[in-house]
Amino acid sequence: MTLEKLVTDLTTSGSETLDAAKLRELKQLCKNDSTGKAAISEAFALLLAALHKTHAQIRVSALQAINAVFERSHAFRLLVIGSLPQILALTMGAYQKSLPPPAGHARRLRALGAECLYAWVQRFGFAYQRLVYALRFMRFTERVDFRPAARAFKASDPARVAQRRRMAAASRREYMRRTVGAVVADFADRKREVARNIACLDNCFEMLVPDLADMFGSGEDKGGGGRKEPGGELGR
């Protein structure tokens, strides 16, 4: 079966889910060493053409196929990211682009677009920053609510979510450790500086204000005779 026939069958079946056997065949063609690069480029062009169809259900199937290959192929991901604004417009109505009927499948297309973009960011955003920028744009400029997509991602990939949670917790602990260490070191430096300033102030006060004992005497006879009895001199 040719790649064009395969993509056509996948995207025009009218089914809510893709044919598993044909999807495996598409992945295999894109993975094959001899036909991989050419097949990836051709598959992407065919799927992008399917996204331009004026039927929302065909676009849903095309996006499902794009998502399946996207998760398996770096070369395919680069092609998708290179055409990301166009894909966002065709699947989520970005840039005031209207989606085709039927209305029910158009809503499904918009929701699936949000789910795919959110999952791509979670899985590949660390390596492809344009995905992160795209999600921010859709969230803050196009006002797309990604909370349903986040819930769908957590339900579909709990192991990855748990791993990211552990990594985030470890990152927070490391950040707190470094922050506390920096605060302790800074406090020690400031403590030494305060001690030096106090010693300097003490010296200044000693220079400016004489000791009271030096000014008025200690109250003892410095001649060493001790306290004299009254009239002692006269009694001799």
Side-chain angles (χ1 to χ4, degrees):
M1 184 182 296
T2 65
L3 191 53
E4 183 177 1
K5 178 71 164 60
L6 187 59
V7 170
T8 301
D9 289 350
L10 280 169
T11 57
T12 60
S13 66
S15 175
E16 293 297 322
T17 58
L18 299 181
D19 182 277
K22 291 178 179 177
L23 184 59
R24 280 196 301 270
E25 188 175 351
L26 175 63
K27 292 178 182 178
Q28 189 60 39
L29 283 172
C30 293
K31 186 179 178 181
N32 190 294
D33 291 337
S34 59
T35 63
K37 291 182 179 179
I40 286 172
S41 298
E42 184 181 357
F44 176 74
L46 291 168
L47 290 169
L48 189 60
L51 282 181
H52 280 85
K53 298 295 184 181
T54 56
H55 196 289
Q57 189 171 13
I58 294 178
R59 293 191 184 188
V60 168
S61 297
L63 183 56
Q64 288 174 330
I66 287 173
N67 183 55
V69 183
F70 184 94
E71 295 186 351
R72 298 299 184 99
S73 169
H74 167 69
F76 191 85
R77 286 194 287 272
L78 292 178
L79 293 173
V80 169
I81 292 170
S83 300
L84 202 52
Q86 187 178 5
I87 292 173
L88 295 177
L90 294 170
T91 59
M92 299 175 68
Y95 313 104
Q96 299 180 345
K97 184 80 171 179
S98 60
L99 299 180
H105 286 92
R107 288 191 295 271
R108 171 63 182 139
L109 177 62
R110 186 176 283 105
L112 181 61
E115 290 175 10
C116 288
L117 181 57
Y118 185 87
W120 295 347
V121 169
Q122 295 301 312
R123 291 171 179 154
F124 306 105
F126 66 94
Y128 308 95
Q129 282 296 305
R130 288 185 66 183
L131 292 173
V132 179
Y133 300 149
L135 187 140
R136 290 176 181 170
F137 170 78
M138 295 302 295
R139 181 180 178 185
F140 296 110
T141 303
E142 296 289 337
R143 301 296 181 184
V144 175
D145 183 4
F146 282 95
R147 286 176 295 183
R151 289 192 292 268
F153 177 76
K154 291 178 181 178
S156 66
D157 201 346
R160 187 181 292 272
V161 171
Q163 181 184 15
R164 287 181 64 85
R165 214 172 264 163
R166 289 193 297 269
M167 291 174 63
S171 178
R172 284 194 297 270
R173 287 195 297 270
E174 178 64 16
Y175 173 77
M176 291 301 297
R177 186 186 68 79
R178 291 182 180 180
T179 301
V180 171
V183 170
V184 169
D186 184 63
F187 177 78
D189 290 340
R190 290 179 182 274
K191 184 179 179 180
R192 287 191 290 269
E193 183 179 352
V194 169
R196 286 194 297 268
N197 290 336
I198 291 174
C200 182
L201 285 173
D202 284 344
N203 292 334
C204 290
F205 278 122
E206 287 180 2
M207 293 173 62
L208 295 172
V209 182
D211 191 289
L212 293 178
D214 293 337
M215 293 178 63
F216 301 107
S218 62
E220 296 180 355
D221 182 5
K222 293 185 179 180
R227 184 176 180 181
K228 296 181 179 180
E229 292 294 335
E233 294 292 334
L234 297 176
R236 290 180 181 178

